[in-house]
Amino acid sequence: MPIPISEDRTVLIRSKLPWLGVAIAAVLMFRLSLTADRDVVALNAPYDEFWFINSAARMVWGGHYNHLAFAHLPIYSIWLAALNLLGVPARLGIDLAWLASTAYAGFALTRLSRRTWAGVAFWLFCAFHPLFLVLFDRALSETLLSALVALMLGAGVEIWNTRNAAHTRRGVLATWLFAVAFALAVHTRKEGILFVLPLALLLAGSLLFMRRQWWSSVRGHPLGVRLVAGPLLAMVVIGAILAGANYLRWGLAVRYELAAPGYTKAIAALNRIDAGHGPLHVTVTSKSRQLAYEHSPTFRELQGFFEGEAGRSLAAYTARYTGQEGEIGNGWFYWALRDAGAVAGWHSSARRADRKYAAVAAELQAAFASGALKAHPAWTPSFLDPDLGKWLGRVPASSWNVFNLIFATDPDLVSAPDEDATDRQWVEFIEVAARRNPLPTLKLSGWIVLPPGSSVGLSAADGTLLHQVALRPPMRPDVPGAFPFSLAASSAPPGARLIATTPDGMATTVPLSKLQAGKMIQTDGAHPATLGVDELVTGKRPSLLVARLAWWGGHPVSLDWIGGLSVAYRLVNAAFVVLVLGILVLWVLTRRRSMPTMIILALVAVALVSRAVLLGVLDASSWSGVQARYMMPLIPAFAWVALLGLHELLEGRR
């Protein structure tokens, strides 16, 4: 229960609120300035980032049908489309959503603990967490899910805080925010159904131990209605809206097409083919496909795709990740099946495509039933490899590795690859994401020791010259014999190089990947030269922080502030683990147990463990589930519990 505070302390807190508000506003502006130069990166990822961008560009249900029209859940695309309509850049929009939702969760923590520092510390932890600073550069649904989880956490705790004042503005706002945030979180990603587990635990506990307090009067808006019944109803309503919209537009009453009954049955039937012990992370092997061609005339229509150049290229690509030559890894086969169906003409409509996939499943099931085709037992979900002996022993280690991602701080774990969008994709990224830097830029300035009359330039990997300037006086005063130069280009293609040419035509080159601001390097070629780099910018303008330091010192300064944050957050995470363990020890050694803390800790633990186990199963059986972005949405929940634990420990000393 919340610890009551004295009237004098209440007056003191209120007297500090204006100054606290000014301080938070200043920190907010500083935080936004750190990412003012960052953008949603443009990637040629038709099944991931670009799918959401393209879906938002056609307002989700617009355009013509194809095999990708409603392949994913559309909540994140709806979010992008809404930001676009409001004229808010996608990168700025997700920053604001994250900062607002974590601020609300921090407010709820302050109200629960009666300690302002706890809420402020939580918000600062979330606002400057290095993984979120980098992840928000990606057009991925996990970014929105992270904000929704923080909002859900704050609203749920506020419902408890207002349990005796449900009709107040705070109570009504918390009730609606929790229901909507929970429902959207469930439907944002395919594994979102896991959020039902903590609610199921809450339902069971309230019915067994707190039925009278939680469910006594529906008219009085008891906790059971606000925390369980309302969110579950909202989940059903939003799911029905998505399925209904897809039925009206595309002809299938499903939330997204990868959940269409024919397609899921086809995947399950193909996975069940027993072609002998196959390699890890490959369920439908080349042998499995050959057997499927023999027993399914419908699947045989896809043979040209899988056994032709497209299939061989895909197998060669996935082998880089699975290590299995000549086989299509599970994480890609689900999409390859749809690509093959599209090439075969199955996807002229969603209904026709689902009938085709259902026919594949029916033909294979008939072969299983007759004994003509050997099959694995049908006891696993459609997306899992039914050959349990191949991967089941890996699940504990995989789940543990996934769980440990809660403590990840290295921004490289979620950083985006180099931008490689096609020209058509670039247009949609610019239009939908409202990029503040519409096109990638390349700027290089420094000095080089070369004979008078020489030139320097930027060239692409194929030798195409992007920009070239002649080296002219005045000479660089601080480096004898050096000419200053400044180069720029409208794009930064992979493999770009600096090329320097002397008056007699001898050239020397150096890859831009070897250059670093503030460093000197020796070039390669017929006439080696010493090169110094003052500034190197690729893809975006220098950040406000770096620009200020450059002005103050009179020369460019490179500051790896994200890397520094990463180191600091490792120490903070270690402290959080100690705090959570401290709560448990306190409860064992004393009788002092806070009911809200116990409930919140149990719910967060269920959410963390269930997500880690599911992703651990996927990692062990199908594809890499040890990806930081999968667990990042629950980082704020763990931090929230840890800070609440610090409050409990401080109270326990009294």
Side-chain angles (χ1 to χ4, degrees):
M1 299 293 290
I3 305 298
I5 58 176
S6 66
E7 183 178 349
D8 292 341
R9 186 178 171 190
T10 302
V11 173
L12 179 61
I13 292 175
R14 289 177 178 174
S15 67
K16 292 181 178 180
L17 284 179
W19 293 106
L20 179 62
V22 171
I24 290 178
V27 173
L28 174 63
M29 296 302 294
F30 174 71
R31 163 60 181 80
L32 291 174
S33 74
L34 292 179
T35 53
D37 65 313
R38 303 185 75 94
D39 264 317
V40 170
V41 295
L43 300 177
N44 181 13
Y47 308 132
D48 293 304
E49 282 97 330
F50 180 67
W51 186 91
F52 292 109
I53 292 290
N54 177 256
S55 178
R58 53 186 174 81
M59 301 301 290
V60 180
W61 288 281
H64 300 290
Y65 172 76
N66 59 44
H67 67 298
L68 296 177
F70 63 118
H72 284 297
L73 286 162
I75 297 298
Y76 180 59
S77 292
I78 294 172
W79 161 261
L80 290 174
L83 290 178
N84 189 32
L85 288 174
L86 295 173
V88 179
R91 184 59 173 80
L92 175 61
I94 194 62
D95 257 343
L96 294 176
W98 172 245
L99 295 172
S101 61
T102 52
Y104 185 62
F107 170 80
L109 177 57
T110 292
R111 289 293 184 176
L112 179 66
S113 66
R114 302 291 184 179
R115 294 180 181 273
T116 303
W117 61 260
V120 173
F122 170 80
W123 183 73
L124 291 175
F125 173 85
C126 295
F128 292 94
H129 198 293
L131 262 63
F132 292 98
L133 292 174
V134 176
L135 178 72
F136 291 160
D137 291 347
R138 308 284 298 272
L140 293 169
S141 55
E142 288 91 349
T143 60
L144 179 61
L145 182 61
S146 298
L148 288 173
V149 170
L151 184 62
M152 184 168 55
L153 175 65
V157 174
E158 269 291 272
I159 288 176
W160 173 267
N161 292 340
T162 60
R163 58 193 178 280
N164 297 321
H167 296 287
T168 63
R169 282 183 294 180
R170 269 182 61 199
V172 172
L173 178 65
T175 301
W176 280 97
L177 284 180
F178 185 70
V180 172
F182 173 82
L184 292 178
V186 168
H187 296 294
T188 295
R189 284 189 54 82
K190 302 172 183 65
E191 74 278 5
I193 194 65
L194 290 178
F195 288 114
V196 174
L197 294 180
L199 231 61
L201 176 65
L202 197 60
L203 174 63
S206 64
L207 290 176
L208 290 174
F209 306 110
M210 300 171 287
R211 183 182 303 176
R212 185 172 185 179
Q213 298 94 321
W214 283 54
W215 299 94
S216 60
S217 169
V218 175
R219 181 176 298 179
H221 301 290
L223 285 172
V225 173
R226 300 173 69 196
L227 280 171
V228 180
L232 290 177
L233 177 61
M235 176 191 72
V236 172
V237 169
I238 290 183
I241 291 173
L242 294 178
N246 287 333
Y247 176 78
L248 293 175
R249 182 65 183 91
W250 310 116
L252 284 181
V254 293
R255 296 182 304 147
Y256 59 104
E257 199 174 10
L258 263 67
Y263 175 77
T264 56
K265 290 177 182 177
I267 290 291
L270 289 166
N271 283 350
R272 285 190 63 199
I273 297 174
D274 187 352
H277 192 66
L280 189 66
H281 289 179
V282 179
T283 304
V284 183
T285 63
S286 56
K287 291 181 180 180
S288 299
R289 295 199 305 269
Q290 294 301 324
L291 292 172
Y293 299 144
E294 296 176 14
H295 297 279
S296 172
T298 305
F299 187 71
R300 197 181 306 139
E301 297 175 21
L302 309 182
Q303 186 172 4
F305 178 92
F306 283 112
E307 311 311 323
E309 182 60 31
R312 288 191 294 270
S313 298
L314 183 58
Y317 176 79
T318 67
R320 290 186 285 175
Y321 301 93
T322 65
Q324 309 298 336
E325 297 292 339
E327 301 288 0
I328 300 175
N330 287 342
W332 296 267
F333 179 79
Y334 309 126
W335 295 104
L337 181 61
R338 301 184 64 79
D339 290 342
V343 172
W346 292 6
H347 284 270
S348 57
S349 72
R351 288 179 178 176
R352 182 174 187 272
D354 206 50
R355 287 196 298 268
K356 281 289 193 178
Y357 293 120
V360 171
E363 291 161 0
L364 292 177
Q365 292 293 348
F368 297 151
S370 67
L373 185 58
K374 189 178 180 181
H376 292 290
W379 54 31
T380 58
S382 62
F383 56 86
L384 286 184
D385 189 336
D387 188 1
L388 299 182
K390 190 165 64 177
W391 56 266
L392 193 59
R394 295 167 48 92
V395 171
S398 292
S399 299
W400 177 249
N401 291 335
V402 173
F403 182 83
N404 279 329
L405 292 174
I406 286 293
F407 314 114
T409 62
D410 186 355
D412 289 339
L413 294 173
V414 292
S415 61
D418 293 333
E419 295 184 308
D420 60 354
T422 65
D423 291 342
R424 183 181 67 84
Q425 291 171 340
W426 261 112
V427 172
E428 294 193 9
F429 270 100
I430 293 172
E431 290 179 349
V432 173
R435 287 170 53 101
R436 289 168 283 190
N437 300 295
L439 294 173
T441 59
L442 173 59
K443 183 179 180 182
L444 172 64
S445 62
W447 52 264
I448 190 169
V449 179
L450 280 176
S454 301
S455 62
V456 293
L458 296 170
S459 71
D462 60 359
T464 302
L465 199 61
L466 305 175
H467 186 203
Q468 188 176 42
V469 296
L471 298 177
R472 296 189 178 92
M475 306 287 285
R476 179 83 175 219
D478 55 339
V479 183
F483 287 93
F485 67 86
S486 181
L487 298 166
S490 60
S491 63
R497 307 172 68 86
L498 179 139
I499 181 170
T501 308
T502 61
D504 56 4
M506 290 191 294
T508 178
T509 64
V510 60
L512 292 189
S513 59
K514 292 186 177 181
L515 300 183
Q516 185 177 352
K519 301 291 185 180
M520 293 191 301
I521 192 172
Q522 194 76 13
T523 63
D524 299 322
H527 193 293
T530 302
L531 167 71
V533 179
D534 292 333
E535 181 182 21
L536 176 60
V537 179
T538 56
K540 49 178 69 90
R541 297 184 301 269
S543 69
L544 177 61
L545 181 59
V546 173
R548 288 296 185 190
L549 290 175
W551 171 81
W552 182 261
H555 58 277
V557 175
S558 176
L559 181 62
D560 184 15
W561 51 270
I562 294 184
L565 283 175
S566 177
V567 174
Y569 270 71
R570 289 176 205 160
L571 301 176
V572 173
N573 281 334
F576 281 174
V577 172
V578 172
L579 291 174
V580 172
L581 294 176
I583 306 176
L584 302 178
V585 171
L586 177 67
W587 290 347
V588 171
L589 298 180
T590 71
R591 294 183 178 181
R592 184 183 181 87
R593 295 180 177 88
S594 168
M595 179 60 68
T597 303
M598 292 178 63
I599 293 174
I600 294 169
L601 182 58
L603 298 180
V604 170
V606 169
L608 283 172
V609 172
S610 62
R611 195 173 186 87
V613 170
L614 174 62
L615 293 170
V617 168
L618 292 177
D619 181 73
S621 65
S622 298
W623 65 85
S624 175
V626 188
Q627 300 185 44
R629 64 187 177 98
Y630 291 156
M631 290 297 288
M632 280 179 54
L634 292 182
I635 287 178
F638 179 79
W640 201 98
V641 167
L643 288 168
L644 183 59
L646 178 57
H647 158 70
E648 292 288 332
L649 292 173
L650 293 175
E651 292 296 334
R653 295 178 58 189
R654 296 187 177 184

